[in-house]
Amino acid sequence: MQETYQLVATVIIISASGVMAPGPLFAATVSSGAKEGAKAGLKIAHGHALVELPLVILIGIGVLTLESLPQFRATVSIIGALSIFAFAALQIRSSLKAEQNTVKSRYGSLLTGVLLTGLNPFFLVWWFTIGIKIISDAYLLWAFWGILIMFGIHIWMDYAWLTLVSSLSAKGARLLSSRKYRALLVGINIVLVYFGVLFVLDYLSAIHNFQI
């Protein structure tokens, strides 16, 4: 049961750091929300999920194939840890100098969510480094269904956050320049470093088991 709680907490914290990041999807949600309100964020989240779910399943299939390799756990653990440290540093730096930006789209909110997800290289790098580690952990805990459970724990945060952002944007709130928002991002990414340390410990444990 403790492993379950730890995995859920890991997915939530790591997901929150990515979901709340001030990137293109966030900026487009601010712009669309000013016109459409909360439904813009909901549609963008739908578009995001349409790209993200197939990607997670494909990565999960890869994990099923590679999990039997003794060095696989060590590899994904250290790559995940290094990626977390780099991601957290970039996020903290970005948060400290965040400015309100918007991305205007010629497409509807749903297609905007699809395009700004599928064409975002940072999104792909995140899932093939940090994401593959939590997918692997979910698989070890709950077998194939763990991949879908992990996705469910992750995706609701996208829906909740993007809907909130579009709602606040419709009311004229400048969320990105808010000190509370920036402080929250810094705090989340500091906690994220802790999970990076846990990934390093997983790496050391995997290396030890491999040597034995």
Side-chain angles (χ1 to χ4, degrees):
M1 187 61 70
Q2 182 179 355
E3 291 180 344
T4 298
Y5 291 146
Q6 181 175 327
L7 179 59
V8 170
T10 300
V11 174
I12 289 176
I13 295 296
I14 292 177
S15 296
S17 66
V19 167
M20 298 178 65
L25 202 66
F26 177 97
T29 304
V30 171
S31 178
S32 299
K35 301 176 182 178
E36 302 179 48
K39 65 180 182 180
L42 190 61
K43 291 178 181 178
I44 289 175
H46 281 328
H48 178 73
L50 286 174
V51 176
E52 193 166 45
L53 179 57
L55 178 64
V56 169
I57 291 176
L58 286 175
I59 294 175
I61 292 173
V63 168
L64 295 180
T65 303
L66 299 172
E67 192 67 50
S68 60
L69 298 177
Q71 65 270 33
F72 177 73
R73 292 292 302 169
T75 301
V76 298
S77 294
I78 195 61
I79 290 176
L82 294 176
S83 299
I84 278 182
F85 294 143
F87 180 77
L90 291 173
Q91 285 290 81
I92 291 173
R93 179 183 177 185
S94 175
S95 302
L96 294 177
K97 62 175 184 178
E99 296 178 357
Q100 184 77 54
N101 294 304
T102 59
V103 172
K104 295 183 180 180
S105 175
R106 296 174 296 175
Y107 312 103
S109 296
L110 179 65
L111 188 54
T112 294
V114 171
L115 293 176
L116 291 183
T117 299
L119 299 178
N120 184 357
F122 185 78
F123 165 80
L124 297 176
V125 169
W126 191 96
W127 273 111
F128 278 100
T129 54
I130 300 173
I132 198 172
K133 174 63 168 63
I134 58 178
I135 290 174
S136 176
D137 289 346
Y139 171 73
L140 283 180
L141 196 58
W142 297 308
F144 179 77
W145 289 108
I147 298 170
L148 299 180
I149 293 172
M150 183 282 302
F151 182 76
I153 297 171
H154 166 84
I155 196 63
W156 76 266
M157 301 181 70
D158 284 305
Y159 277 90
W161 177 243
L162 294 175
T163 302
L164 175 62
V165 168
S166 59
S167 298
L168 293 175
S169 178
K171 296 178 182 179
R174 295 179 61 82
L175 181 61
L176 192 57
S177 59
S178 166
R179 289 186 178 181
K180 291 182 179 180
Y181 166 68
R182 291 160 62 182
L184 178 60
L185 272 183
V186 171
I188 288 175
N189 281 281
I190 289 175
V191 176
L192 188 64
V193 172
Y194 165 76
F195 287 100
V197 173
L198 291 183
F199 283 12
V200 171
L201 295 177
D202 281 350
Y203 165 75
L204 296 175
S205 176
I207 287 293
H208 176 72
N209 293 334
F210 177 64
Q211 290 175 342
I212 292 176

